[in-house]
Amino acid sequence: MDGHDSEDPKQSTADMTAFVQNLLQQMQIRFQTMSDSIITKNILFILMIILNALDEMGNRINELEQSINDLRAEMGVESTPSPVAPVARAKPKEEESNKEEGPA
């Protein structure tokens, strides 16, 4: 009986060791799963921020292009001679010719 009693504590210790090892392994798996989930969520969050920033930059580029086109249009209107300018230049010539015709 003494031999049988001495084996029970050894078996109990072995069972407890196996139980604790199994428990630690399960905890490790759960922590790894949670860690992977957190990393995945952080990556998705960062990607969303990047996509929003790219979208905002695209909008700003579109606004800048529109402003450049507006400025070009204004410069095109300002740089082309207005129809009044040639007439104003022509009038002095006509006036000069009228002055010449008048005294004659």
Side-chain angles (χ1 to χ4, degrees):
M1 202 155 169
D2 286 338
H4 184 64
D5 287 340
S6 66
E7 298 223 343
D8 282 343
K10 288 181 183 179
Q11 185 62 37
S12 177
T13 302
D15 289 345
M16 185 60 71
T17 301
F19 175 76
V20 170
Q21 287 177 342
N22 185 29
L23 186 61
L24 289 173
Q25 186 177 16
Q26 289 178 7
M27 289 174 61
Q28 176 64 30
I29 291 169
R30 288 182 183 171
F31 281 124
Q32 187 62 46
T33 302
M34 288 181 358
S35 176
D36 292 345
S37 175
I38 290 169
I39 290 170
T40 301
K41 288 178 183 177
N42 285 341
I43 289 171
L44 290 174
F45 180 71
I46 290 168
L47 286 174
M48 285 179 27
I49 290 173
I50 290 170
L51 289 174
N52 284 338
L54 288 174
D55 189 44
E56 181 63 28
M57 283 195 306
N59 289 338
R60 289 182 181 186
I61 288 171
N62 289 341
E63 290 173 3
L64 181 60
E65 286 177 344
Q66 185 60 48
S67 295
I68 290 170
N69 289 335
D70 291 347
L71 288 172
R72 284 182 179 167
E74 287 179 23
M75 289 175 58
V77 170
E78 292 175 4
S79 65
T80 57
S82 69
V84 178
V87 174
R89 290 181 189 154
K91 284 184 179 179
K93 291 180 182 177
E94 290 176 8
E95 289 175 6
E96 288 176 15
S97 63
N98 286 341
K99 287 181 184 178
E100 291 174 6
E101 291 176 7

